[in-house]
Amino acid sequence: MVVFSAMTTMAEDGSRLWLRYEKVQKACVTGVECIAAQELRNYYDGERANLVIDTTMAQDAYHIEGTTISAKDEIGLLYGAYALMRGEEGYSAPQWQLRILNHWDNLDGSIERGYAGQSIFWEKGDHTERIKEYARANASIGINATVLNNVNASPKMLSAAYIKQVKKIAAILRPYGIKVFLSVNFASPMALGGLKTADPLDAQVAAWWNAKAKEIYKQIPDFGGFLVKANSEGQPGPGDYHRTHAEGANMLADAVKPYGGIIMWRSFVYGANHKGEDRVKQAVSEFVNDDGKFRDNVILQSKNGPLDFQPREPYAPIFDNMKRTPQMAELQITQEYLGQSRHLVYLAPMWQEFFRFVKPNRLKGIAGVANIGLDKNWCGHHFSQANWYAFGRLAWNPDLTSEEIAKEWLTQTFHLPTTKRDAVLSMMLRSREACVDYMMPLGLHHIFKFDHHYGPEPDGFKAEYPIEWCPVYYHQADSLGVGFNRSHTGTNATAQYAEPYRSLYDDVKTCPEEYLLWFHHVPWTYRLKNGHTLWENIQEHYHHGVSEVEDFLRIWQEVKTDFDEQRWQETQERLLHQLENAREWQKVCLDYFRSFAEKS
Ligand code: GCU
C-alpha cells in the first residue's frame, strides 16, 4: 500500500495526478536495480520488496507473490511495482501488446480538440520534467506507446530538425517502456522531398519513404512506426492517384518493415468517393475491397462508432467486415463531444459498452486520443484525469469494471472516507448516461454546434457545408417523427452488421431504445416500452439528464469537507457550468423538437 498523508505539504492542484504518493523511503528493495526499485524505495509503505527477472514470462506481464515481483524485464517489473503499490497480488498480463495514446498535437504547440492547454511535446520551452512525469504516469497504468503529433499531420514533422526533437523525447520515454510513433502526411515526399508526386506506386516515392525510415531508425532504433490519416477531411492519400488504401499503406509498411515498424492506417474516411451515401456506411464501403490485401505490419485503426466519437453510438460495423485485416480500436479520451474539459463525464462505461459488441480478442491493439496538455492539472478538469487512467487500465485489462477502475482512481487521487468515496463514485458512474440524456438521448446524434462541437444546435444547417456536417441531416425531424432511417427501408446501414445485430437493429420493435433514433425514423406518437410516447420519452430523458447534474451538485456539497479546498472548488465551478449547459441543451433541443412534435 501507498501512504497518503491527510496533511499533505504539497499543493493539491491536481498536478500529481493519481500518483500522489508521499516519499516514505522505508522499504528495503533487493534484486534488480532499476526504476521500479527506485519507485518502491521512495514510495512503497512495506518493509521490503524483491525484484526478480524471469525471462520465461510473457512480455509486460508480472507476478506478485508476497512482496516479490517477477517479470521478464525491467519494464514488467515497473508495471509490477505500481501494481504492488495499488495493492494487487498474483499474475497479470495485458490484453494487448499495443496500448497507445494518440496526441493530436500540432507543431506550433496547439492541440486539435485539446482542452487542457498547449502541447507538452511541441510548445516552446523545455518540458523535460513534464514529459518524464507523463512517462511515469503512463507506466503506472501500463500505456506503452504514444503518437506525438496530430493525425492532421504537418509534413515538417519528418524534417531533420524535428526528428532530432523526437529522438530527445524518445530518450525520456524509453526507460518507462514507452515507444514513440509519428503521424505522417501522405504527401510528405512532395512537401518535404520536392518530388512531383506522392503516388505510392512511384519508385521515387517509395525510395523517399525508405530513406526517411532509415534516417529515423538510425536516430531512434526502437521507433514504433507511422499513423496515417489519408484521403480524409482534406488530407492527401493514395486515392489522389487512384490507388487503394492497401497500396498506400503497404508502401509505407515496406519502408518500416526491416526495422520492425508498423503502420496504423485509419478508416475514418468519408466524403469524396461516396457522395450521397449515408456517412456511417462509408468506411465499410471504402475499405471492404482492401480486406486481406494489407501487409502483415499494417493495422487498420477505427473509431469505436461509425460516425465520430458521439456520446453514444452503436459499434462500428467495420469491425465485422474486415475479416482478414488486423484491426485496432480508437477511443477518444479527450471529450470533444462530451462536454470537453467542462463536464464531469467518466468514459469507462462508454468504452465497456463497445467491448460488449467488439470482443477484445478480435483486436490487435487499442488507441486513445489523449486529453493531456500543459495545464497544471494535465486534463483541464480534475475528473478528466480519471479518463486517462481508465483508458490505460482498460487497455491492460478490458474485463475490469468501470466501478473497479473508478474506485482505484478515487482511492489514489483523493483521500476520502469510504462512504464519501462511494458517493463520488456513484456520480462518476452515472455521469456518462446523464450526458447522453441531456445532450442526445434515444439514439439522437451530432446535433452539436458547428466546428467546436460544444453546445446544442439541432437546427444547424449551412448550404456551403457538406451535408454530413449538418445536424439537420442526422435527426431528420419532421411533422411525422424524428430519427434517421437506416433500416432496409432507409439507407440499409443495418445490413453492414453481423447477426444478431443486423436483424435486431433493423426492426423498430427490437432495436434497443438507446439506438432507436440512430436506426429509425419514429413517429412522435409511437409508444416505447414504458407505454409513453416517443415525444414524452424524449422530454423525460432531457429532464432526467438535468436532474442528474443537479444531484451531482448535491453530492458535491455533501463531500465538501472531505476534499482539499482547491480541487473541490475548481470542480464545483465546473459542475455549476455543467448544470447551466445541461439546461441549455434541454431547452434548445426541446423547443426545437416541440415545433415538430406538437404540430403532429
Ligand atoms: C473529428 C474531429 C477532428 C479530427 C477528426 C479525425 O472529426 O472533429 O478534429 O481531425 O475527427 O479523427 O481525424
Side-chain angles (χ1 to χ4, degrees), residues 104 112-113 152 229 233 266 268 303 308 336 453:
W104 287 357
E112 180 148 351
R113 312 305 178 186
N152 297 315
K229 172 175 177 177
E233 299 187 330
R266 296 177 90 227
F268 181 70
K303 297 184 183 185
D308 191 12
E336 174 179 357
H453 300 151

Side-chain angles (χ1 to χ4, degrees), residues 202-224:
D202 182 290
Q204 276 187 312
V205 170
W208 188 89
W209 283 107
N210 289 344
K212 192 46 83 179
K214 190 171 178 190
E215 179 189 343
I216 296 173
Y217 278 96
K218 196 162 171 226
Q219 313 255 353
I220 312 159
D222 56 354
F223 180 73

Side-chain angles (χ1 to χ4, degrees), residues 104 112-113 115 150-152 229 232-233 235 266 268 270 279 303 307-309 330 332 336-337 369 446 451 453 469:
W104 287 357
E112 180 148 351
R113 312 305 178 186
Y115 313 104
N150 192 355
V151 287
N152 297 315
K229 172 175 177 177
S232 162
E233 299 187 330
Q235 295 299 319
R266 296 177 90 227
F268 181 70
Y270 64 92
R279 177 165 155 190
K303 297 184 183 185
L307 183 53
D308 191 12
F309 296 138
E330 178 179 320
Q332 197 187 45
E336 174 179 357
Y337 295 98
V369 179
H446 220 308
D451 303 333
H453 300 151
W469 288 4

Side-chain angles (χ1 to χ4, degrees), residues 169-204:
I169 296 170
I172 306 172
L173 302 182
R174 188 173 295 113
Y176 293 87
I178 297 168
K179 247 190 198 188
V180 155
F181 290 71
L182 293 176
S183 295
V184 295
N185 182 300
F186 199 79
S188 298
M190 297 162 79
L192 209 60
L195 299 190
K196 288 207 171 58
T197 175
D199 181 348
L201 299 193
D202 182 290
Q204 276 187 312

